[in-house]
Amino acid sequence: MAEFTTSQSSFQMVGTRAALASGPLAEAIEQQINAIESALESVPDFAFDLSKTLVESVCKTVLADIGQPADPKWDAPRLLKETTNKLSLLPHNHPDPVKAGESVKKTVRGLLQTIQGLCELRNNYGMASHGRDSFTARLDQRQATLAAQAADTIVSFLYRIHRDALTQVPGARVYHEDHADFNEAFDRDYEVIRLGELELLPSRVLFLSDREAYRAALNDFIAERDAKNGGDDANAAQEDAE
């Protein structure tokens, strides 16, 4: 009979890492991810605190990106609720928005319950929350991994949707990396800026030197693109009708 060998691999927040890779470097969130993965190996209790903190950080980042900063008094469930209320949870032009919307709302309610569970785990068993009796019963790595997995699911879902929206419509914070089509068009219209042997792309220089001017040019580009696409769609519809 064949023998099977099993090996335990270190837990990784795959969903969150993939979601973050789609946007600009978020160093603070990256550090929190590393801390969670490390804690699960060495101090599992700490993962409860860190998992809740990660969700809060991402919610606050999303809200700040769209120009609606979080109220400092909001707890984690309120943060998640406010964040999901501000995001478009359905694909654009979904054919059955009512039914699909209800299903997504149920999922969101489940996420809110998950966050509440994380809060309770943090308050009761997290090592960095409020201090604790040194002889209090502790949870182990399996429960800590559950908290990390829940946070990974929530964060990857929210951040992916948020990033998708930002690449279509700029938020309060504009990121150069989100608008490759505009950058390429802008760089074609203006000459490369040369400083000795250093060559600088015009779109990058504008972004770094005058963020508002970059935003204005970007908005003009998007308006022209959308108007053109709208006209193309109308022409296509007319041709189909004929």
Side-chain angles (χ1 to χ4, degrees):
M1 186 174 179
E3 294 183 359
F4 294 91
T5 59
T6 59
S7 60
Q8 288 188 339
S9 58
S10 300
F11 174 81
Q12 290 189 337
M13 305 194 74
V14 177
T16 299
R17 288 191 176 281
L20 290 180
S22 67
L25 176 63
E27 186 175 355
I29 295 176
E30 178 75 20
Q31 291 174 345
Q32 291 172 7
I33 294 171
N34 292 335
I36 290 173
E37 294 172 346
S38 177
L40 285 171
E41 294 295 321
S42 55
V43 192
D45 307 56
F46 198 23
F48 296 116
D49 305 88
L50 293 170
S51 296
K52 175 177 176 289
T53 298
L54 175 63
V55 173
E56 292 174 329
S57 295
V58 169
C59 286
K60 291 178 179 179
T61 299
V62 169
L63 292 172
D65 276 350
I66 62 178
Q68 301 188 38
D71 189 319
K73 297 178 181 178
W74 289 347
D75 58 10
R78 177 68 184 276
L79 267 172
L80 181 60
K81 182 177 181 179
E82 294 293 336
T83 303
T84 54
N85 284 343
K86 300 296 190 299
L87 293 175
S88 178
L89 303 179
L90 294 179
H92 182 60
N93 292 331
H94 192 278
D96 192 1
V98 175
K99 183 177 180 180
E102 286 302 315
S103 297
V104 172
K105 288 178 181 177
K106 290 180 181 178
T107 303
V108 171
R109 285 196 291 269
L111 293 177
L112 288 171
Q113 291 178 350
T114 300
I115 288 297
Q116 186 59 50
L118 283 176
C119 292
E120 293 176 2
L121 286 172
R122 173 184 179 271
N123 291 336
N124 295 326
Y125 301 104
M127 68 173 295
S129 304
H130 308 291
R132 68 181 181 193
D133 178 358
S134 297
F135 298 99
T136 299
R138 300 172 61 183
L139 299 179
D140 61 22
Q141 189 179 51
R142 294 187 185 277
Q143 289 75 36
T145 300
L146 172 64
Q149 288 173 331
D152 188 37
T153 300
I154 294 167
V155 167
S156 61
F157 172 70
L158 292 181
Y159 205 70
R160 283 179 186 275
I161 289 178
H162 172 57
R163 293 294 311 155
D164 288 346
L166 281 187
T167 57
Q168 298 300 317
V169 180
R173 288 197 296 217
V174 178
Y175 299 99
H176 184 268
E177 298 89 339
D178 287 345
H179 306 286
D181 52 350
F182 165 71
N183 296 333
E184 291 172 3
F186 191 88
D187 293 338
R188 287 195 300 268
D189 292 340
Y190 297 91
E191 295 184 3
V192 173
I193 299 170
R194 292 181 172 83
L195 298 175
E197 297 182 356
L198 181 63
E199 294 186 350
L200 304 175
L201 294 175
S203 64
R204 189 68 179 174
V205 172
L206 179 63
F207 176 81
L208 294 175
S209 61
D210 192 338
R211 198 68 52 90
E212 290 305 314
Y214 178 90
R215 182 198 302 278
L218 172 61
N219 286 333
D220 289 343
F221 173 84
I222 292 175
E224 293 177 6
R225 181 193 64 191
D226 291 347
K228 179 179 182 301
N229 290 340
D232 291 343
D233 292 342
N235 292 335
Q238 183 175 359
E239 290 175 2
D240 291 341
E242 295 173 353

